[in-house]
Amino acid sequence: MKWKQQIHGMKAYQPGKPMEEVKAMYQLEEVVKLASNENPFGCSPQVKAYLENMNVDHAIYPDGYAQSLRTIMADHFNISEDMLIFGNGSDDLIAIITRALLYPGVNTVMATPSFSQYKHNAIIEGAEVREIPLINGAHDLQAMLAAIDKQTSVIWICSPNNPTGVVIPDKALRTFLQQVPKDVLVVLDEAYCEYVQDEEHTSTIPLLAKYDNVISLRTFSKAYGLAGFRVGYGIAHPAIIAKLDPVRAPFNNTVLGQNVAKIAIKDQAFITQCIEANEAGKRQFEAFCDKHDLHYYPSATNFILFEIKTDSDIVFQKLMERGFIVRSGKALGVPNYLRVTIGTKAQNEAFFTQLEAVLEEQGVLV
């Protein structure tokens, strides 16, 4: 068959093992998943109430334009409706952008390590990938600017960055955007923006009116606790949306996905509660790392990347056997580190107990 040459040797995204499989594999009664940065507090009670009493005709296609969700989101952000595009999660929007703008002969600039799907999709489209190493977990914006040339089509900025959790301060971001050529699309992947509490960072929505070559990608999968419904969205100048929309699949959001997103965006009290609990959980992790002299990156998200001073794959496996699923830093380009979702207070405390035991076995803690 006439496969694209660039897909030879590529591997599909490898999600973590399902909780039920881990339970059966290790004869565990309970498993805590702290690997995918989902909201440990679930979703809005209002969403749960809707799901218990919903009346949906599943034989009918969803609204391909997501008009009612579009109106609610536009009102929420005080933007025009034609500044929005919806995807089957923000992964879908990343694929749409790469399909529309990347091809052999152009290049794309991104940080490393960062979210794997930027590079993955760029390779599929045959574009040159230019990776710029992080500095202390943060984007090296000056080096990224230096990597731009006349063939650069897309720049990926993940803020807060995955897997380090570091957010880009407003001043640095604005200085960067002022220097990017106007014919280069800057993708601000802000999947974790609701969690950011950094005083040097404010909403990037006003930037989208000033820079018509910037798109912000966001999602209902993280803070809103709706990962299973796969609803992501992009906000940009209407001209960008108009170019991207024809690349989008006709019915890429389900009826249920659109309905729960409409409810979730209105319950900001729930989001506030989750943010407060997450900040408290983050302090638990920081205290644990300080206690054991383990380096960690200053996270503005609902996860934290921290040092364990030994093989992260081994620790990952040992923790899974004890009922905790996390992410090994080796798979993320940061060996000897773990990336762990911040859980509930009780989950965090139980995790620390098991991690201490594993690190003692590995000779890290005495």
Side-chain angles (χ1 to χ4, degrees):
M1 296 187 184
K2 300 176 181 65
W3 300 108
K4 285 184 174 181
Q5 290 300 309
Q6 55 265 31
I7 72 170
H8 292 306
M10 291 188 71
K11 295 181 179 180
Y13 180 80
Q14 296 294 317
K17 291 185 180 296
M19 294 168 66
E20 291 306 316
E21 181 179 341
V22 174
K23 283 183 181 180
M25 187 179 300
Y26 301 110
Q27 292 81 53
L28 298 168
E29 293 185 3
E30 182 179 2
V31 169
V32 178
K33 185 184 177 189
L34 300 175
S36 300
N37 309 331
E38 297 132 332
N39 188 337
F41 304 101
C43 62
S44 163
Q46 296 176 28
V47 170
K48 293 178 181 179
Y50 162 76
L51 292 173
E52 290 175 357
N53 302 285
M54 65 180 180
N55 182 21
V56 175
D57 187 346
H58 296 288
I60 304 300
Y61 281 110
D63 173 9
Y65 193 60
Q67 182 59 65
S68 57
L69 174 59
R70 181 179 300 274
T71 299
I72 289 173
M73 296 294 288
D75 289 344
H76 177 77
F77 289 112
N78 192 28
I79 58 176
S80 62
E81 293 185 4
D82 55 2
M83 291 180 66
L84 287 160
I85 184 171
F86 295 94
N88 185 30
S90 54
D91 295 337
D92 184 30
L93 295 170
I94 292 169
I96 289 170
I97 290 168
T98 55
R99 188 178 179 192
L101 284 161
L102 297 183
Y103 47 86
V106 302
N107 66 70
T108 180
V109 179
M110 63 193 67
T112 184
S114 194
F115 188 45
S116 63
Q117 293 303 292
Y118 314 145
K119 181 177 181 179
H120 183 89
N121 282 280
I123 291 173
I124 291 173
E125 299 303 331
E128 177 194 349
V129 176
R130 298 182 176 179
E131 297 181 274
I132 309 300
L134 300 173
I135 297 179
N136 297 324
H139 285 57
D140 185 348
L141 296 178
Q142 288 304 309
M144 295 182 79
L145 285 170
I148 299 172
D149 61 21
K150 292 182 178 180
Q151 283 69 50
T152 303
S153 185
V154 180
I155 298 177
W156 304 90
I157 301 293
C158 187
S159 182
N161 186 52
N162 181 6
T164 59
V166 177
V167 70
I168 299 173
D170 287 359
K171 184 177 180 180
L173 180 60
R174 284 172 168 77
T175 300
F176 173 79
L177 294 177
Q178 289 169 5
Q179 299 176 74
V180 175
K182 299 305 179 185
D183 63 347
V184 175
L185 180 67
V186 179
V187 182
L188 292 178
D189 187 345
E190 301 185 285
Y192 301 93
C193 62
E194 289 85 5
Y195 286 110
V196 179
Q197 300 297 297
D198 192 316
E199 293 181 355
E200 296 184 11
H201 176 84
T202 56
S203 173
T204 58
I205 299 297
L207 293 177
L208 304 177
K210 184 175 182 180
Y211 299 99
D212 57 9
N213 63 328
V214 179
I215 183 169
S216 169
L217 302 187
R218 302 185 176 200
T219 183
F220 282 91
S221 295
K222 304 303 181 183
Y224 288 93
L226 299 175
F229 290 95
R230 311 306 298 125
V231 182
Y233 58 99
I235 310 174
H237 189 278
I240 293 178
I241 302 300
K243 286 292 187 181
L244 293 176
D245 214 27
V247 185
R248 180 181 59 83
F251 303 104
N252 62 334
N253 288 122
T254 66
V255 173
L256 284 178
Q258 292 182 33
N259 287 351
V260 297
K262 289 187 293 186
I263 297 169
I265 196 69
K266 293 181 178 180
D267 191 358
Q268 291 301 307
F270 172 75
I271 298 300
T272 299
Q273 293 170 7
C274 291
I275 292 170
E276 292 173 351
N278 184 72
E279 287 297 299
K282 193 186 303 179
R283 288 191 290 272
Q284 285 180 276
F285 272 86
E286 292 171 348
F288 176 87
C289 291
D290 290 340
K291 173 184 176 182
H292 296 295
D293 191 29
L294 301 173
H295 172 262
Y296 61 90
Y297 289 96
S299 176
T301 65
N302 68 331
F303 63 82
I304 186 167
L305 182 69
F306 63 94
E307 179 186 32
I308 51 172
K309 299 182 178 179
T310 189
D311 191 316
S312 51
D313 279 355
I314 293 176
V315 174
F316 157 79
Q317 180 63 36
K318 295 291 185 180
L319 285 170
M320 187 161 60
E321 293 171 6
R322 293 167 175 265
F324 286 89
I325 307 174
V326 299
R327 283 299 299 272
S328 166
K330 189 175 291 187
L332 301 171
V334 276
N336 301 330
Y337 279 70
L338 292 180
R339 192 195 71 186
V340 183
T341 306
I342 297 168
T344 65
K345 181 179 180 181
Q347 288 173 340
N348 297 337
E349 290 174 347
F351 170 74
F352 297 145
T353 297
Q354 297 304 323
L355 179 58
E356 283 181 330
V358 171
L359 293 182
E360 287 174 1
E361 290 177 0
Q362 299 302 308
V364 175
L365 303 183
V366 179

